[in-house]
Amino acid sequence: MDFSGKRILVVGLARSGMAAIKALEKRGAQLSACDEKEARTLAPILDELGKQGIRYYAGGYPEVKRQDFDLLVVSPGVPLETAAIRQAREQGIPVIGEVELAYILKPKTVEFLAISGTNGKTTTTSLLHYILAQAGRNSLAGGNIGIPLTTLLDSISAGIIVVELSSFQLESSSSFRPYICGLLNITPDHLNRHKTMERYIEAKARIFAQQKPDDYAVFNYEDSILREMARSCPARTLFFSCERELQEGAFIDNGVITIKRAGSVQEIARIDEVSLRGKHNLENILAATVMASIAGVSPDDIRQALATFPGVRHRMEELGLYDDVFYVNDSKATNPESVMKALDSFNQPIILIAGGRNKGSSFSQLAGLIKQKVRELVLLGEAREEIKAAVIDAGFRNIHEVEDLQAAVSKAHELARKGEVVLLSPACASWDMFASYEQRGDLFCEMVKSISK
Protein backbone atom coordinates (compact mmCIF):
# COMPACT_ATOMS: atom_id res chain seq x y z
CA MET A 1 0.00 0.00 0.00
CA ASP A 2 1.28 3.45 -0.89
CA PHE A 3 0.87 5.84 2.05
CA SER A 4 2.41 8.85 0.30
CA GLY A 5 0.06 11.83 0.56
CA LYS A 6 -2.56 9.84 2.50
CA ARG A 7 -4.35 11.84 5.21
CA ILE A 8 -3.95 9.65 8.28
CA LEU A 9 -5.12 10.21 11.86
CA VAL A 10 -3.19 8.29 14.52
CA VAL A 11 -5.42 7.74 17.56
CA GLY A 12 -3.46 7.26 20.81
CA LEU A 13 0.04 8.55 21.51
CA ALA A 14 1.61 5.78 23.58
CA ARG A 15 4.42 3.54 22.26
CA SER A 16 2.56 1.96 19.36
CA GLY A 17 1.03 5.27 18.25
CA MET A 18 4.39 7.04 18.18
CA ALA A 19 5.94 4.09 16.33
CA ALA A 20 3.15 4.26 13.73
CA ILE A 21 3.73 8.00 13.30
CA LYS A 22 7.44 7.44 12.71
CA ALA A 23 6.80 4.69 10.15
CA LEU A 24 4.15 6.68 8.28
CA GLU A 25 6.15 9.89 8.28
CA LYS A 26 8.98 8.06 6.49
CA ARG A 27 6.49 7.04 3.84
CA GLY A 28 5.22 10.53 3.11
CA ALA A 29 1.84 10.43 4.83
CA GLN A 30 0.03 13.63 5.85
CA LEU A 31 -0.28 12.98 9.55
CA SER A 32 -2.53 14.13 12.35
CA ALA A 33 -2.52 12.67 15.87
CA CYS A 34 -4.75 12.72 18.93
CA ASP A 35 -5.03 11.45 22.47
CA GLU A 36 -7.64 11.75 25.20
CA LYS A 37 -4.97 12.74 27.73
CA GLU A 38 -4.63 16.43 28.53
CA ALA A 39 -1.90 18.46 26.83
CA ARG A 40 0.05 19.01 30.05
CA THR A 41 0.57 15.26 30.52
CA LEU A 42 1.65 14.86 26.88
CA ALA A 43 3.94 17.91 26.73
CA PRO A 44 7.19 16.18 25.56
CA ILE A 45 5.31 14.17 22.92
CA LEU A 46 3.37 17.18 21.65
CA ASP A 47 6.58 19.23 21.44
CA GLU A 48 8.08 16.51 19.26
CA LEU A 49 5.00 16.38 17.03
CA GLY A 50 5.01 20.15 16.69
CA LYS A 51 8.65 20.13 15.56
CA GLN A 52 7.71 17.58 12.92
CA GLY A 53 4.85 19.74 11.70
CA ILE A 54 2.26 17.16 12.69
CA ARG A 55 -1.15 18.51 13.68
CA TYR A 56 -2.35 17.16 17.02
CA TYR A 57 -5.38 17.15 19.31
CA ALA A 58 -5.05 16.64 23.07
CA GLY A 59 -7.73 16.12 25.69
CA GLY A 60 -10.02 14.34 23.24
CA TYR A 61 -10.47 13.34 19.63
CA PRO A 62 -11.42 15.44 16.59
CA GLU A 63 -14.61 14.88 14.65
CA VAL A 64 -13.73 12.46 11.88
CA LYS A 65 -14.98 13.36 8.39
CA ARG A 66 -14.38 11.70 5.04
CA GLN A 67 -13.07 14.98 3.55
CA ASP A 68 -10.37 15.18 6.27
CA PHE A 69 -9.01 11.64 6.64
CA ASP A 70 -8.31 8.62 4.43
CA LEU A 71 -7.30 6.24 7.23
CA LEU A 72 -7.24 5.91 11.03
CA VAL A 73 -4.46 4.02 12.82
CA VAL A 74 -5.65 3.19 16.33
CA SER A 75 -3.51 2.26 19.34
CA PRO A 76 -4.51 -0.94 21.18
CA GLY A 77 -5.42 0.95 24.34
CA VAL A 78 -8.19 2.87 22.54
CA PRO A 79 -11.57 1.04 22.55
CA LEU A 80 -13.13 0.61 19.13
CA GLU A 81 -16.37 2.11 20.49
CA THR A 82 -14.62 5.51 20.79
CA ALA A 83 -16.58 8.19 18.92
CA ALA A 84 -13.79 9.00 16.44
CA ILE A 85 -13.53 5.34 15.40
CA ARG A 86 -17.31 4.95 15.12
CA GLN A 87 -17.47 8.06 12.94
CA ALA A 88 -14.73 6.67 10.67
CA ARG A 89 -16.46 3.34 10.20
CA GLU A 90 -19.84 4.93 9.57
CA GLN A 91 -18.26 6.89 6.70
CA GLY A 92 -16.31 3.96 5.28
CA ILE A 93 -12.90 5.24 6.42
CA PRO A 94 -10.62 2.25 7.11
CA VAL A 95 -9.50 1.73 10.71
CA ILE A 96 -6.40 -0.38 11.41
CA GLY A 97 -4.04 -0.98 14.33
CA GLU A 98 -0.27 -0.67 14.51
CA VAL A 99 0.13 -4.45 14.12
CA GLU A 100 -1.95 -4.38 10.95
CA LEU A 101 0.14 -1.45 9.71
CA ALA A 102 3.34 -3.42 10.32
CA TYR A 103 1.92 -6.39 8.40
CA ILE A 104 1.12 -4.13 5.44
CA LEU A 105 4.60 -2.56 5.52
CA LYS A 106 6.71 -5.67 6.04
CA PRO A 107 8.74 -7.03 3.12
CA LYS A 108 7.80 -10.46 1.78
CA THR A 109 11.15 -11.76 3.03
CA VAL A 110 10.00 -11.29 6.65
CA GLU A 111 7.67 -13.90 8.17
CA PHE A 112 5.46 -13.32 11.21
CA LEU A 113 5.09 -16.11 13.79
CA ALA A 114 2.28 -14.99 16.10
CA ILE A 115 1.29 -16.02 19.63
CA SER A 116 -1.78 -15.16 21.68
CA GLY A 117 -3.84 -16.47 24.57
CA THR A 118 -4.93 -15.22 27.95
CA ASN A 119 -1.81 -16.30 29.86
CA GLY A 120 1.73 -17.28 28.89
CA LYS A 121 2.05 -15.09 25.78
CA THR A 122 5.21 -13.27 26.80
CA THR A 123 7.03 -16.37 28.03
CA THR A 124 6.15 -18.34 24.89
CA THR A 125 7.05 -15.46 22.58
CA SER A 126 10.38 -14.93 24.34
CA LEU A 127 11.14 -18.66 24.36
CA LEU A 128 10.33 -19.13 20.67
CA HIS A 129 12.51 -16.15 19.76
CA TYR A 130 15.29 -17.54 21.95
CA ILE A 131 15.09 -20.96 20.24
CA LEU A 132 15.26 -19.34 16.81
CA ALA A 133 18.17 -17.10 17.78
CA GLN A 134 20.12 -19.96 19.38
CA ALA A 135 19.61 -21.93 16.17
CA GLY A 136 21.20 -19.09 14.18
CA ARG A 137 17.99 -17.84 12.61
CA ASN A 138 17.68 -14.11 11.95
CA SER A 139 14.81 -13.22 14.25
CA LEU A 140 13.32 -10.53 16.47
CA ALA A 141 10.43 -10.41 18.96
CA GLY A 142 7.87 -7.64 19.35
CA GLY A 143 4.25 -6.60 19.59
CA ASN A 144 2.51 -6.79 22.96
CA ILE A 145 5.81 -7.86 24.51
CA GLY A 146 6.76 -4.17 24.53
CA ILE A 147 8.39 -3.32 21.19
CA PRO A 148 6.08 -2.01 18.43
CA LEU A 149 6.29 -4.07 15.24
CA THR A 150 6.70 -1.03 12.99
CA THR A 151 9.85 -0.18 14.95
CA LEU A 152 11.31 -3.65 14.32
CA LEU A 153 10.84 -3.37 10.55
CA ASP A 154 13.78 -0.93 10.45
CA SER A 155 16.03 -3.65 11.91
CA ILE A 156 15.23 -6.64 9.72
CA SER A 157 14.99 -7.07 5.97
CA ALA A 158 14.71 -10.87 5.94
CA GLY A 159 13.94 -13.41 8.63
CA ILE A 160 11.32 -13.95 11.33
CA ILE A 161 9.54 -11.67 13.77
CA VAL A 162 7.88 -13.50 16.67
CA VAL A 163 4.80 -11.45 17.54
CA GLU A 164 2.98 -11.43 20.86
CA LEU A 165 -0.61 -10.33 20.26
CA SER A 166 -3.21 -9.13 22.75
CA SER A 167 -6.93 -9.20 22.11
CA PHE A 168 -6.79 -5.39 21.84
CA GLN A 169 -4.31 -5.63 18.97
CA LEU A 170 -6.18 -8.42 17.24
CA GLU A 171 -9.60 -6.77 17.24
CA SER A 172 -8.34 -4.06 14.85
CA SER A 173 -6.70 -6.51 12.41
CA SER A 174 -8.26 -7.48 9.10
CA SER A 175 -5.56 -8.74 6.73
CA PHE A 176 -2.92 -9.88 9.26
CA ARG A 177 -1.75 -13.35 8.26
CA PRO A 178 1.02 -15.15 10.18
CA TYR A 179 2.74 -18.14 8.62
CA ILE A 180 2.53 -19.95 11.99
CA CYS A 181 0.34 -18.93 14.93
CA GLY A 182 -0.17 -20.36 18.38
CA LEU A 183 -3.09 -20.00 20.80
CA LEU A 184 -2.23 -21.00 24.36
CA ASN A 185 -5.48 -20.76 26.36
CA ILE A 186 -8.69 -18.76 26.67
CA THR A 187 -10.03 -17.74 30.08
CA PRO A 188 -12.03 -14.64 31.08
CA ASP A 189 -9.93 -11.47 30.81
CA HIS A 190 -10.36 -7.85 29.74
CA LEU A 191 -14.13 -8.18 30.06
CA ASN A 192 -14.24 -4.55 31.16
CA ARG A 193 -13.29 -3.82 27.53
CA HIS A 194 -14.82 -6.68 25.52
CA LYS A 195 -17.97 -6.92 27.72
CA THR A 196 -18.67 -10.59 26.86
CA MET A 197 -16.63 -13.78 26.51
CA GLU A 198 -18.01 -14.19 23.00
CA ARG A 199 -16.47 -10.89 21.89
CA TYR A 200 -13.20 -11.73 23.62
CA ILE A 201 -13.05 -15.09 21.83
CA GLU A 202 -13.89 -13.43 18.50
CA ALA A 203 -10.96 -11.05 18.94
CA LYS A 204 -8.57 -13.91 19.69
CA ALA A 205 -9.79 -15.87 16.64
CA ARG A 206 -8.58 -13.09 14.36
CA ILE A 207 -5.05 -14.44 14.78
CA PHE A 208 -5.83 -17.21 12.28
CA ALA A 209 -8.79 -15.71 10.37
CA GLN A 210 -6.73 -14.75 7.30
CA GLN A 211 -4.50 -17.82 7.23
CA LYS A 212 -4.41 -20.08 4.15
CA PRO A 213 -4.22 -23.88 3.85
CA ASP A 214 -0.41 -23.76 3.58
CA ASP A 215 -0.09 -21.92 6.93
CA TYR A 216 -0.03 -23.51 10.40
CA ALA A 217 -1.98 -22.94 13.61
CA VAL A 218 -1.10 -24.53 16.96
CA PHE A 219 -3.70 -24.99 19.73
CA ASN A 220 -3.75 -26.23 23.33
CA TYR A 221 -5.74 -29.48 23.15
CA GLU A 222 -6.69 -29.26 26.84
CA ASP A 223 -8.58 -26.00 26.33
CA SER A 224 -12.13 -26.82 25.17
CA ILE A 225 -12.65 -23.33 23.73
CA LEU A 226 -9.52 -23.68 21.59
CA ARG A 227 -10.51 -27.17 20.40
CA GLU A 228 -13.76 -25.68 19.15
CA MET A 229 -11.99 -22.68 17.58
CA ALA A 230 -9.63 -25.01 15.74
CA ARG A 231 -12.59 -26.48 13.85
CA SER A 232 -13.02 -23.21 11.94
CA CYS A 233 -9.31 -22.56 11.36
CA PRO A 234 -8.41 -22.44 7.64
CA ALA A 235 -4.76 -23.41 8.23
CA ARG A 236 -3.15 -26.77 8.97
CA THR A 237 -3.76 -27.37 12.68
CA LEU A 238 -1.57 -29.04 15.29
CA PHE A 239 -2.19 -29.44 19.01
CA PHE A 240 -0.06 -29.64 22.13
CA SER A 241 -1.00 -31.31 25.42
CA CYS A 242 0.50 -31.87 28.87
CA GLU A 243 -2.13 -34.51 29.63
CA ARG A 244 -2.14 -37.05 26.79
CA GLU A 245 -0.35 -38.46 23.77
CA LEU A 246 -1.52 -36.95 20.50
CA GLN A 247 -1.76 -38.40 17.00
CA GLU A 248 0.00 -35.26 15.76
CA GLY A 249 1.52 -32.45 17.80
CA ALA A 250 3.60 -32.00 20.96
CA PHE A 251 3.12 -33.92 24.21
CA ILE A 252 4.95 -35.56 27.12
CA ASP A 253 5.88 -39.23 26.76
CA ASN A 254 7.44 -40.78 29.88
CA GLY A 255 8.92 -37.45 30.92
CA VAL A 256 10.17 -36.58 27.44
CA ILE A 257 8.93 -33.67 25.31
CA THR A 258 7.91 -35.37 22.07
CA ILE A 259 6.66 -34.18 18.69
CA LYS A 260 4.70 -36.33 16.23
CA ARG A 261 4.43 -34.67 12.87
CA ALA A 262 4.19 -35.75 9.23
CA GLY A 263 4.64 -39.42 10.15
CA SER A 264 7.81 -38.92 12.21
CA VAL A 265 8.45 -38.90 15.96
CA GLN A 266 11.03 -36.54 17.48
CA GLU A 267 12.18 -36.74 21.09
CA ILE A 268 13.21 -33.21 22.06
CA ALA A 269 14.25 -33.12 25.73
CA ARG A 270 13.52 -34.58 29.15
CA ILE A 271 11.39 -32.36 31.37
CA ASP A 272 14.13 -32.26 34.00
CA GLU A 273 16.51 -30.72 31.43
CA VAL A 274 14.28 -27.67 30.95
CA SER A 275 15.04 -24.44 32.82
CA LEU A 276 11.46 -23.15 33.37
CA ARG A 277 9.39 -24.35 36.34
CA GLY A 278 5.68 -25.10 36.61
CA LYS A 279 3.05 -26.99 34.60
CA HIS A 280 1.87 -23.76 32.97
CA ASN A 281 5.37 -23.23 31.63
CA LEU A 282 5.38 -26.77 30.29
CA GLU A 283 2.40 -25.78 28.13
CA ASN A 284 4.31 -22.71 26.95
CA ILE A 285 7.33 -24.89 26.19
CA LEU A 286 5.27 -27.34 24.14
CA ALA A 287 3.74 -24.50 22.12
CA ALA A 288 7.11 -22.87 21.40
CA THR A 289 8.70 -26.25 20.64
CA VAL A 290 6.15 -27.33 18.04
CA MET A 291 6.15 -23.87 16.42
CA ALA A 292 9.95 -23.94 16.22
CA SER A 293 9.83 -27.43 14.73
CA ILE A 294 7.39 -26.29 12.04
CA ALA A 295 9.77 -23.38 11.32
CA GLY A 296 12.54 -25.90 10.64
CA VAL A 297 14.59 -25.80 13.85
CA SER A 298 16.31 -29.10 14.64
CA PRO A 299 15.55 -31.12 17.82
CA ASP A 300 19.13 -30.60 19.04
CA ASP A 301 18.89 -26.83 18.73
CA ILE A 302 15.52 -26.81 20.49
CA ARG A 303 16.89 -29.01 23.30
CA GLN A 304 19.87 -26.74 23.93
CA ALA A 305 17.67 -23.63 23.99
CA LEU A 306 15.18 -25.18 26.43
CA ALA A 307 18.03 -25.98 28.82
CA THR A 308 19.47 -22.45 28.82
CA PHE A 309 16.47 -20.12 28.41
CA PRO A 310 16.76 -17.50 31.20
CA GLY A 311 13.03 -16.74 31.54
CA VAL A 312 11.12 -13.46 31.31
CA ARG A 313 11.26 -10.42 33.55
CA HIS A 314 8.23 -9.96 35.82
CA ARG A 315 6.88 -13.46 35.06
CA MET A 316 7.79 -15.88 37.85
CA GLU A 317 11.09 -13.99 38.09
CA GLU A 318 13.10 -15.61 40.90
CA LEU A 319 14.83 -12.92 42.94
CA GLY A 320 16.54 -15.32 45.32
CA LEU A 321 16.76 -15.95 49.06
CA TYR A 322 16.68 -13.08 51.53
CA ASP A 323 16.80 -14.05 55.21
CA ASP A 324 16.08 -17.62 54.08
CA VAL A 325 12.84 -16.56 52.37
CA PHE A 326 12.42 -17.04 48.60
CA TYR A 327 11.11 -13.94 46.76
CA VAL A 328 9.40 -14.12 43.36
CA ASN A 329 8.29 -11.24 41.11
CA ASP A 330 5.20 -12.22 39.13
CA SER A 331 3.95 -8.69 38.46
CA LYS A 332 2.83 -9.72 34.97
CA ALA A 333 0.13 -11.92 36.50
CA THR A 334 -2.73 -9.51 35.88
CA ASN A 335 -5.66 -11.97 36.04
CA PRO A 336 -6.70 -14.68 38.51
CA GLU A 337 -5.91 -17.63 36.22
CA SER A 338 -2.29 -16.50 35.91
CA VAL A 339 -1.98 -16.31 39.71
CA MET A 340 -3.43 -19.80 40.06
CA LYS A 341 -0.71 -21.15 37.79
CA ALA A 342 1.92 -19.35 39.85
CA LEU A 343 0.57 -20.76 43.12
CA ASP A 344 0.61 -24.27 41.69
CA SER A 345 4.35 -23.90 40.99
CA PHE A 346 5.28 -24.07 44.69
CA ASN A 347 5.02 -26.68 47.41
CA GLN A 348 6.18 -24.34 50.19
CA PRO A 349 3.82 -22.09 52.19
CA ILE A 350 3.27 -18.79 50.35
CA ILE A 351 2.91 -15.19 51.46
CA LEU A 352 0.93 -13.74 48.54
CA ILE A 353 0.87 -10.03 47.66
CA ALA A 354 -2.13 -9.27 45.43
CA GLY A 355 -4.43 -6.48 44.30
CA GLY A 356 -4.64 -3.62 41.85
CA ARG A 357 -7.30 -2.73 39.29
CA ASN A 358 -9.72 -5.51 38.36
CA LYS A 359 -10.13 -6.14 34.61
CA GLY A 360 -13.59 -7.62 35.00
CA SER A 361 -12.52 -10.94 36.55
CA SER A 362 -14.13 -13.05 39.25
CA PHE A 363 -11.85 -14.01 42.15
CA SER A 364 -13.94 -16.91 43.48
CA GLN A 365 -11.93 -19.74 41.91
CA LEU A 366 -8.64 -18.12 42.88
CA ALA A 367 -9.94 -17.75 46.45
CA GLY A 368 -10.34 -21.52 46.73
CA LEU A 369 -6.72 -22.10 45.75
CA ILE A 370 -5.52 -19.33 48.07
CA LYS A 371 -7.13 -21.22 50.94
CA GLN A 372 -5.13 -24.32 49.95
CA LYS A 373 -1.76 -22.80 49.09
CA VAL A 374 -1.38 -19.43 50.84
CA ARG A 375 -0.53 -18.94 54.52
CA GLU A 376 -0.86 -15.14 54.59
CA LEU A 377 -2.46 -12.78 52.06
CA VAL A 378 -1.37 -9.13 51.72
CA LEU A 379 -3.82 -6.96 49.77
CA LEU A 380 -3.55 -3.49 48.24
CA GLY A 381 -5.11 -1.42 45.49
CA GLU A 382 -8.62 -0.81 44.16
CA ALA A 383 -9.64 -4.48 44.06
CA ARG A 384 -8.55 -5.43 47.57
CA GLU A 385 -12.10 -5.42 48.96
CA GLU A 386 -13.30 -7.67 46.10
CA ILE A 387 -10.48 -10.13 46.69
CA LYS A 388 -10.99 -9.96 50.46
CA ALA A 389 -14.70 -10.76 50.11
CA ALA A 390 -13.94 -13.72 47.79
CA VAL A 391 -11.34 -15.31 50.10
CA ILE A 392 -13.52 -14.80 53.20
CA ASP A 393 -16.35 -16.60 51.35
CA ALA A 394 -13.87 -19.42 50.70
CA GLY A 395 -13.08 -19.64 54.42
CA PHE A 396 -9.70 -17.89 54.40
CA ARG A 397 -9.00 -15.38 57.18
CA ASN A 398 -5.24 -14.53 57.22
CA ILE A 399 -5.67 -11.21 55.42
CA HIS A 400 -3.59 -8.05 55.77
CA GLU A 401 -4.62 -4.82 54.01
CA VAL A 402 -1.99 -2.17 53.21
CA GLU A 403 -1.94 1.14 51.35
CA ASP A 404 1.00 0.72 48.96
CA LEU A 405 3.58 -1.72 47.65
CA GLN A 406 6.28 -0.66 50.07
CA ALA A 407 3.99 -1.47 52.98
CA ALA A 408 3.07 -4.76 51.29
CA VAL A 409 6.69 -5.87 50.99
CA SER A 410 7.40 -4.85 54.60
CA LYS A 411 4.37 -6.77 55.84
CA ALA A 412 5.25 -9.86 53.77
CA HIS A 413 8.82 -9.79 55.08
CA GLU A 414 7.51 -9.52 58.64
CA LEU A 415 5.13 -12.46 58.15
CA ALA A 416 7.43 -14.83 56.21
CA ARG A 417 9.17 -17.72 57.92
CA LYS A 418 12.32 -19.55 56.93
CA GLY A 419 11.78 -21.72 53.83
CA GLU A 420 8.61 -19.92 52.70
CA VAL A 421 7.89 -17.99 49.49
CA VAL A 422 6.94 -14.32 49.18
CA LEU A 423 5.12 -14.04 45.85
CA LEU A 424 4.01 -10.81 44.16
CA SER A 425 1.27 -12.09 41.86
CA PRO A 426 -1.42 -9.39 41.80
CA ALA A 427 -4.30 -10.94 39.77
CA CYS A 428 -5.01 -7.35 38.66
CA ALA A 429 -3.76 -4.63 36.36
CA SER A 430 -1.35 -2.08 37.78
CA TRP A 431 -3.03 1.08 36.52
CA ASP A 432 -4.55 2.18 39.81
CA MET A 433 -1.08 2.77 41.28
CA PHE A 434 1.49 2.34 38.50
CA ALA A 435 2.00 3.17 34.84
CA SER A 436 2.59 -0.50 33.97
CA TYR A 437 3.15 -3.94 35.45
CA GLU A 438 6.85 -3.43 34.66
CA GLN A 439 7.02 -0.38 36.93
CA ARG A 440 5.23 -2.32 39.67
CA GLY A 441 7.62 -5.26 39.30
CA ASP A 442 10.72 -3.06 39.19
CA LEU A 443 9.70 -1.37 42.45
CA PHE A 444 9.06 -4.75 44.07
CA CYS A 445 12.53 -5.93 43.03
CA GLU A 446 14.14 -2.78 44.45
CA MET A 447 12.33 -3.21 47.76
CA VAL A 448 13.26 -6.89 48.04
CA LYS A 449 16.92 -6.06 47.40
CA SER A 450 16.79 -3.46 50.18
CA ILE A 451 15.81 -6.21 52.64
CA SER A 452 19.33 -7.63 52.56
CA LYS A 453 20.98 -4.27 53.29
Side-chain angles (χ1 to χ4, degrees), residues 15 144-146 313-314 329 331-332 430-431 434-445:
R15 277 183 293 199
N144 194 58
I145 201 170
R313 283 226 64 206
H314 308 297
N329 168 27
S331 182
K332 199 175 189 306
S430 61
W431 304 315
F434 301 95
S436 65
Y437 74 81
E438 293 100 332
Q439 186 187 53
R440 176 172 62 189
D442 286 339
L443 183 59
F444 177 73
C445 293

XYZ file of all heavy atoms in Angstrom, residues 15 144-146 313-314 329 331-332 430-431 434-445:
195
model
N 3.308 4.097 23.042
C 4.422 3.539 22.261
C 4.028 3.160 20.836
O 4.718 3.500 19.878
C 4.990 2.301 22.968
C 5.969 2.616 24.057
C 6.563 1.371 24.676
N 5.574 0.603 25.418
C 5.882 -0.308 26.341
N 7.123 -0.579 26.623
N 4.936 -0.965 26.978
N 2.975 -7.035 21.595
C 2.513 -6.792 22.961
C 3.607 -7.006 23.995
O 3.481 -6.587 25.137
C 1.326 -7.716 23.263
C 0.582 -7.317 24.513
O 0.092 -6.193 24.626
N 0.495 -8.232 25.463
N 4.692 -7.617 23.605
C 5.815 -7.857 24.507
C 6.546 -6.564 24.850
O 7.380 -6.526 25.745
C 6.787 -8.886 23.880
C 7.668 -9.549 24.934
C 7.616 -8.263 22.776
C 8.455 -10.730 24.424
N 6.211 -5.462 24.150
C 6.763 -4.166 24.533
C 7.434 -3.376 23.433
O 7.703 -2.185 23.596
N 11.395 -11.348 32.439
C 11.264 -10.418 33.555
C 9.794 -10.247 33.939
O 8.921 -10.174 33.081
C 11.841 -9.049 33.193
C 13.348 -8.985 33.236
C 13.801 -7.722 33.969
N 13.405 -7.709 35.371
C 13.231 -6.589 36.073
N 13.388 -5.409 35.502
N 12.872 -6.642 37.343
N 9.553 -10.209 35.250
C 8.229 -9.961 35.825
C 7.265 -11.138 35.678
O 6.098 -11.006 36.017
C 7.595 -8.693 35.239
C 8.462 -7.479 35.304
N 8.872 -6.922 36.490
C 9.021 -6.728 34.327
C 9.637 -5.861 36.240
N 9.749 -5.738 34.951
N 8.997 -12.351 41.749
C 8.291 -11.238 41.108
C 7.445 -11.768 39.966
O 7.960 -12.157 38.924
C 9.314 -10.212 40.595
C 8.691 -9.180 39.671
O 7.504 -8.872 39.766
N 9.499 -8.645 38.760
N 4.785 -9.874 38.674
C 3.945 -8.688 38.458
C 3.112 -8.783 37.192
O 2.074 -8.147 37.075
C 4.822 -7.432 38.414
O 4.058 -6.272 38.246
N 3.561 -9.594 36.226
C 2.829 -9.718 34.968
C 1.548 -10.540 35.110
O 0.733 -10.592 34.184
C 3.728 -10.331 33.888
C 3.220 -10.064 32.483
C 4.176 -10.566 31.420
C 3.726 -10.082 30.053
N 2.332 -10.431 29.733
N -2.127 -2.958 36.906
C -1.348 -2.077 37.784
C -1.816 -0.634 37.746
O -1.315 0.202 38.491
C 0.124 -2.126 37.344
O 0.243 -1.668 35.994
N -2.784 -0.317 36.901
C -3.029 1.084 36.525
C -3.604 1.948 37.627
O -3.656 3.170 37.491
C -3.946 1.123 35.293
C -3.394 0.341 34.151
C -2.112 0.339 33.681
C -4.108 -0.589 33.344
N -1.982 -0.544 32.631
C -3.203 -1.122 32.398
C -5.440 -1.017 33.314
C -3.572 -2.059 31.437
C -5.813 -1.959 32.359
C -4.890 -2.468 31.446
N 0.269 2.321 39.298
C 1.493 2.344 38.498
C 1.169 2.561 37.025
O 0.051 2.312 36.579
C 2.263 1.024 38.653
C 2.665 0.718 40.068
C 1.871 -0.099 40.863
C 3.825 1.241 40.603
C 2.224 -0.385 42.168
C 4.197 0.963 41.906
C 3.395 0.150 42.696
N 2.180 2.981 36.271
C 2.000 3.175 34.836
C 1.936 1.849 34.091
O 1.369 1.765 33.001
C 3.135 4.036 34.280
N 2.525 0.790 34.654
C 2.592 -0.502 33.969
C 2.939 -1.583 34.976
O 3.406 -1.297 36.083
C 3.660 -0.475 32.868
O 4.958 -0.300 33.455
N 2.744 -2.841 34.582
C 3.152 -3.939 35.454
C 4.664 -3.971 35.594
O 5.203 -4.430 36.614
C 2.610 -5.281 34.937
C 3.311 -5.815 33.710
C 4.510 -6.499 33.799
C 2.758 -5.637 32.436
C 5.160 -6.991 32.672
C 3.395 -6.115 31.315
C 4.599 -6.788 31.434
O 5.233 -7.262 30.304
N 5.390 -3.480 34.569
C 6.855 -3.430 34.660
C 7.298 -2.495 35.780
O 8.206 -2.823 36.558
C 7.477 -2.963 33.345
C 7.306 -3.923 32.174
C 6.177 -3.524 31.240
O 5.219 -2.872 31.720
O 6.241 -3.856 30.044
N 6.668 -1.322 35.865
C 7.020 -0.380 36.931
C 6.720 -0.989 38.303
O 7.513 -0.860 39.246
C 6.246 0.927 36.745
C 6.656 2.020 37.720
C 5.770 3.246 37.623
O 4.547 3.148 37.704
N 6.379 4.402 37.425
N 5.588 -1.657 38.416
C 5.231 -2.325 39.672
C 6.270 -3.386 40.027
O 6.742 -3.460 41.169
C 3.844 -2.948 39.540
C 3.386 -3.752 40.740
C 1.926 -4.169 40.597
N 1.677 -5.033 39.451
C 0.462 -5.395 39.019
N -0.609 -4.944 39.640
N 0.324 -6.189 37.979
N 6.642 -4.205 39.040
C 7.620 -5.258 39.298
C 8.999 -4.717 39.617
O 9.709 -5.248 40.488
N 9.405 -3.669 38.923
C 10.717 -3.064 39.192
C 10.794 -2.549 40.627
O 11.813 -2.731 41.313
C 10.987 -1.915 38.215
C 11.324 -2.388 36.811
O 11.746 -3.557 36.667
O 11.176 -1.593 35.861
N 9.713 -1.896 41.085
C 9.699 -1.374 42.448
C 9.741 -2.520 43.457
O 10.446 -2.440 44.476
C 8.457 -0.506 42.668
C 8.343 0.166 44.046
C 9.543 1.070 44.306
C 7.042 0.966 44.140
N 9.025 -3.582 43.185
C 9.060 -4.750 44.066
C 10.486 -5.293 44.176
O 10.981 -5.580 45.271
C 8.117 -5.829 43.539
C 8.129 -7.109 44.328
C 7.535 -7.176 45.577
C 8.725 -8.251 43.816
C 7.534 -8.353 46.310
C 8.736 -9.437 44.529
C 8.142 -9.488 45.787
N 11.160 -5.413 43.033
C 12.533 -5.928 43.035
C 13.457 -5.029 43.854
O 14.302 -5.517 44.617
C 13.052 -6.049 41.604
S 12.213 -7.294 40.613
